[in-house]
Amino acid sequence: MSPPSDEGDRDLEPREVGRRQRQSVSELASRFADTEPQGKRDRSESGDPAPAGKRGAIDRDGDLGSSPVHFNRRWKEYLDNALDELQQRIVSSISRDIHEFNESIHSKLSAMDERIRDLERHVEERDDEIVSLTAELRQTKEEVKKLSERAESAEMNSRIPCLILSGRALAPRQARLGAPLQSAGESAPQGGSAGAGPSDRPPTASGPGAAAPERARGGRDTAEVEDICGLVIRAVKDRLPGLDIREEDIDRAHRLPGPNHRVIVRFVQSGQNSVRDQLMTRRLELRHHNDLFINESLTAQKNTIYRSLLDAKRAKKLYTVFTRWGHVYFKAEKFGTSTRVEDTGKLRELGFAIKE
């Protein structure tokens, strides 16, 4: 689009045209009358027709003169058209870019949407698998818990007839050495050494609770025998007079490893009024002797609970801790109610530290 110009100034630059159009104030004022209506412009102030020299709107050829007003109007039209064209180009370019951007975004969003749907399908499959595995794990835990409870109950029942006796009263006595083993064809002498006391003489094979001498390890020709049942019976009768305990009441007995001369005794009967029950009832009478202690044989879990509660008792948090038929109880106050603790989870709920 080319800029406008007067017919006489077509070959001149716009700046040159503008320079040539600079006129005096009087000339501009006279030319300003060219923009007024025809009827008013051709008349004087008195209403008479104006002289021909004052009608500067029309030149010799009858065309409009090159007044600044018409010149500026043409430039304004030119600039408006240029701005419109530039605006259309900008809008077209922006529209094209926006369209391309929208197409790119749309394609990318479509790909992302497809990917998200694929991921959602995989996640749903994994969620279903997790739910199934969670249900199986919960069921397995319940089964394991039931099996653990059954095993714990079975072990408790097997340990109910057993009591653990400990203390200096069960310290080992002078052991008797058995007779040397004879070679083939020789008979072993009857009886033992003359200096053996009645408490150290092993029972005969025909007597109740008889125990045959065992051969020592390593192939030695001597055997060492200890009458554990007789030791337990004497220790109990000396400290609990009136309690009728015989070897027929004891199924078996043997020492346990560790300090304090512990002996585990399994009784033939364990019900009410049995020797085992009488020992547990009268064990408090042994306090003033301080050399014989009687406790129930507990499972590993109950033993952990018992020792943990004993620590709490030593810390003055509990009044007493005791066991009954394999279960562990405690009292927080002297005249309070007894609370039974079945597992370590209950121990944690009560706020007691677990002593492994």
Side-chain angles (χ1 to χ4, degrees):
M1 180 177 180
S2 61
S5 64
D6 284 341
E7 294 178 359
D9 299 330
R10 292 177 180 177
D11 297 334
L12 299 178
E13 296 294 333
R15 293 183 179 179
E16 183 66 20
V17 173
R19 185 182 63 80
R20 293 186 59 182
Q21 296 301 324
R22 294 191 185 95
Q23 300 178 15
S24 65
V25 176
S26 59
E27 289 176 344
L28 292 175
S30 62
R31 289 175 178 267
F32 179 75
D34 295 342
T35 60
E36 296 181 357
Q38 183 66 32
K40 183 178 179 179
R41 183 181 57 187
D42 294 340
R43 293 180 180 275
S44 64
E45 295 180 357
S46 61
D48 297 332
K54 295 183 179 180
R55 303 172 188 174
I58 302 176
D59 56 8
R60 296 177 182 179
D61 299 330
D63 297 331
L64 294 175
S66 57
S67 65
V69 174
H70 293 87
F71 181 77
N72 292 336
R73 182 181 301 168
R74 287 195 297 272
W75 269 100
K76 181 180 179 182
E77 292 176 357
Y78 169 76
L79 292 176
D80 290 341
N81 294 334
L83 289 175
D84 291 341
E85 183 179 355
L86 179 61
Q87 183 179 4
Q88 291 177 0
R89 291 181 179 180
I90 292 174
V91 170
S92 175
S93 177
I94 293 175
S95 300
R96 183 173 59 254
D97 293 341
I98 292 176
H99 178 72
E100 294 176 355
F101 179 75
N102 288 337
E103 291 292 333
S104 176
I105 292 297
H106 180 71
S107 61
K108 292 180 179 179
L109 288 178
S110 299
M112 291 179 62
D113 184 64
E114 185 66 25
R115 178 60 177 168
I116 290 174
R117 290 180 180 178
D118 184 61
L119 291 175
E120 287 178 349
R121 287 193 296 268
H122 286 287
V123 169
E124 289 178 357
E125 294 176 359
R126 294 297 182 271
D127 288 342
D128 296 339
E129 185 177 358
I130 289 174
V131 170
S132 176
L133 292 176
T134 302
E136 292 180 3
L137 179 61
R138 186 183 301 109
Q139 183 179 1
T140 302
K141 285 183 177 180
E142 292 177 356
E143 293 177 356
V144 170
K145 183 179 179 181
K146 292 179 180 179
L147 291 174
S148 299
E149 291 176 352
R150 289 177 59 185
E152 180 74 11
S153 177
E155 186 179 358
M156 283 178 55
N157 293 333
S158 67
R159 287 177 177 269
I160 284 178
C162 301
L163 294 179
I164 297 178
L165 285 69
S166 59
R168 295 190 307 273
L170 298 177
R173 299 297 188 266
Q174 182 67 31
R176 171 188 177 275
L177 296 179
L181 296 178
Q182 303 296 322
S183 59
E186 296 183 3
S187 59
Q190 300 294 330
S193 61
S199 61
D200 295 328
R201 183 178 298 117
T204 60
S206 60
E214 298 178 359
R215 185 172 183 176
R217 294 182 181 179
R220 297 176 59 184
D221 293 338
T222 59
E224 185 175 320
V225 177
E226 183 181 15
D227 186 9
I228 300 295
C229 294
L231 181 61
V232 169
I233 292 172
R234 287 191 300 273
V236 171
K237 285 186 175 181
D238 292 343
R239 289 157 182 81
L240 296 177
L243 196 151
D244 187 16
I245 179 173
R246 297 173 298 176
E247 291 187 1
E248 291 85 350
D249 299 321
I250 298 176
D251 183 16
R252 55 185 176 270
H254 62 85
R255 290 192 178 275
L256 295 175
N260 207 19
H261 313 297
R262 294 188 306 162
V263 174
I264 183 169
V265 182
R266 183 178 184 86
F267 293 90
V268 176
Q269 295 182 353
S270 59
Q272 191 174 6
N273 295 326
S274 62
V275 175
R276 186 261 186 207
D277 187 44
Q278 295 179 42
L279 280 173
M280 285 299 298
T281 303
R282 297 184 58 181
R283 65 175 182 165
L284 297 180
E285 302 177 14
L286 300 172
R287 289 182 176 179
H288 64 278
H289 290 284
N290 200 28
D291 62 351
L292 182 62
F293 305 94
I294 301 176
N295 295 284
E296 289 185 332
S297 178
L298 302 176
T299 64
Q301 179 175 264
K302 295 299 188 293
N303 192 33
T304 299
I305 297 172
Y306 183 70
R307 289 187 291 110
S308 302
L309 293 177
L310 280 181
D311 285 349
K313 179 184 176 183
R314 296 188 187 101
K316 307 298 182 182
K317 296 181 181 179
L318 300 176
Y319 174 70
T320 185
V321 180
F322 58 95
T323 62
R324 284 291 182 273
W325 303 107
H327 296 283
V328 184
Y329 299 83
F330 74 88
K331 283 186 179 181
E333 299 176 354
K334 183 176 181 180
F335 300 104
T337 58
S338 301
T339 302
R340 188 169 77 179
V341 182
E342 290 294 337
D343 50 35
T344 54
K346 181 66 174 180
L347 204 61
R348 293 190 183 94
E349 292 179 5
L350 295 173
F352 296 113
I354 298 177
K355 183 177 180 180
E356 298 295 342

